[in-house]
Amino acid sequence: MPAPRTVLLTGAAGGLGTLMRGLLPAYGYELRLFDVTPIEGEPDAITADLGDKEALREAVRGVDAVIHLAGISLESSFEKILRANIEGTYNLYEAVREEGVGRVVFASSNHAIGYTPRPLPGDPLIPVDTPRRPDTFYGLSKSFGEDLAQFYWDEHGVETVSVRIGSCFMEPTSVRMLSVWMSPGDGARLFHAALTAEDVGHTVVYGSSANTRLWWDLSTARSLGYEPQDDSEQYADTLVAEQGELDPENPDHAHVGGHFVTDPPLWPH
Ligand code: NAI
Ligand code: 15L
């Protein structure tokens, strides 16, 4: 596969999309932007919903690859998750298939495995083939997205790297995030590796920096050529002084998904 140049970035108005709009052009990508929310200062951005199949098809026409970030990024009602994340991701893959785009980078989430107990110091890292244990309808939609990606590879030859992102923000803001943080710079490095690695088929990777307190195994990400440069440990003294270490007796600290696991469900679904 020739190295992709033109990349559709869905969810370009969001937090991660805004960070990647700033960082990915330095790798030589020409970004086409897509979001239901208008983006100030970006007159060429496509403002459309993932439910708009025609707009999606036009958006993917002629691009070399797609980074799919658009969707609901936290727990919500099943109906909203169904429309944006499940049907929306299906619509995106159908457009990709119809227009012959070869590669998708899918923003999955740690919440696809959110019910997995978080490793205690000395425990083995969580492997990428750990059984999925979604912690929310949101996590369930990411689990669906990974299966959809596998299906579109097996059935249609569309390649995907599913990135189970930990927490990608400017800085970690909690002790949990010391384990799962992905710096924006490492996020761009990982997306670049996911866009350019050869023969990925459908590959699932964890998305985080090389954190001292890492919970999961980055080897599949590294196999794409990803070399993380950052470590959240520089923020540890401050965060631990403020919040204390994670407490094995605290249910909010017991699982990978943190409070997503323990938050009361959003009834009615
Ligand atoms: P965000 O909520 O800031 O951005 C999501 C964007 O998607 C928003 O701009 C929103 O307008 C757009 N969007 C939502 N529904 C849409 C629809 N139906 N049609 C078109 N656009 C729609 O989320 P963030 O943090 O930027 O995350 C981006 C992606 O990465 C999401 O898929 C999220 O689930 C995933 N992710 C992010 C993590 C993080 O730490 N930021 C961690 C794990 C996964
Ligand atoms: C996610 O999947 C969310 O999109 C993000 O906002 C954070 O909550 C992140 O997971 C996390 O687990 O910290």
Side-chain angles (χ1 to χ4, degrees):
M1 186 185 94
R5 307 303 295 174
T6 312
V7 174
L8 178 72
L9 183 69
T10 76
L16 191 49
T18 301
L19 291 169
M20 291 306 123
R21 275 193 281 134
L23 292 168
L24 286 174
Y27 290 84
Y29 298 113
E30 190 181 310
L31 297 179
R32 192 182 288 178
L33 311 179
F34 182 102
D35 203 296
V36 72
T37 304
I39 308 175
E40 207 178 316
E42 295 285 359
D44 295 334
I46 301 159
T47 304
D49 193 276
L50 289 168
D52 183 341
K53 295 179 185 180
E54 276 312 304
L56 266 179
R57 191 155 174 185
E58 210 172 301
V60 303
R61 191 165 298 147
V63 300
D64 300 316
V66 178
I67 300 177
H68 181 46
L69 306 181
I72 295 171
S73 59
L74 297 167
E75 181 61 323
S76 187
S77 70
F78 181 71
E79 286 72 18
K80 287 182 181 162
I81 295 279
L82 177 64
R83 268 197 304 278
N85 292 18
I86 296 180
E87 291 178 357
T89 302
Y90 161 74
N91 291 340
L92 186 269
Y93 271 86
E94 271 299 279
V96 158
R97 181 188 65 77
E98 286 170 342
E99 293 296 328
V101 179
R103 173 81 53 98
V104 177
V105 179
F106 169 59
S108 184
S109 169
N110 70 87
H111 297 288
I113 61 152
Y115 260 105
T116 307
R118 62 115 177 153
L120 297 170
D123 286 350
L125 296 175
I126 300 169
V128 87
D129 60 359
T130 196
R132 285 194 301 244
R133 300 180 70 175
D135 56 23
T136 41
F137 289 132
Y138 165 67
L140 198 58
S141 75
K142 296 301 185 180
S143 186
F144 169 82
E146 291 185 12
D147 277 344
L148 191 75
Q150 183 66 49
F151 174 68
Y152 271 73
W153 165 241
D154 289 332
E155 184 82 1
H156 302 298
V158 175
E159 290 194 310
T160 297
V161 177
S162 291
V163 184
R164 287 182 189 155
I165 304 169
S167 293
C168 189
F169 299 95
M170 287 305 289
E171 292 183 1
T173 54
S174 69
V175 173
R176 169 181 175 271
M177 278 171 72
L178 294 173
S179 295
V180 303
W181 183 59
M182 179 164 71
S183 71
D186 280 341
R189 278 182 269 278
L190 180 51
F191 286 137
H192 176 55
L195 288 169
T196 52
E198 298 282 341
D199 301 328
V200 298
H202 176 227
T203 301
V204 181
V205 305
Y206 291 110
S208 63
S209 289
N211 303 319
T212 299
R213 301 171 188 229
L214 199 62
W215 285 344
W216 43 59
D217 176 11
L218 288 181
S219 59
T220 56
R222 289 184 189 275
S223 75
L224 302 177
Y226 172 55
E227 290 181 18
Q229 304 291 307
D230 296 317
D231 181 343
S232 61
E233 204 58 20
Q234 60 178 305
Y235 302 98
D237 285 350
T238 310
L239 287 169
V240 171
E242 283 167 12
Q243 302 171 17
E245 292 285 0
L246 294 182
D247 174 3
E249 302 303 317
N250 182 339
D252 279 352
H253 300 174
H255 302 94
V256 165
H259 70 84
F260 280 53
V261 168
T262 46
D263 283 348
L266 295 174
W267 297 106
H269 288 305

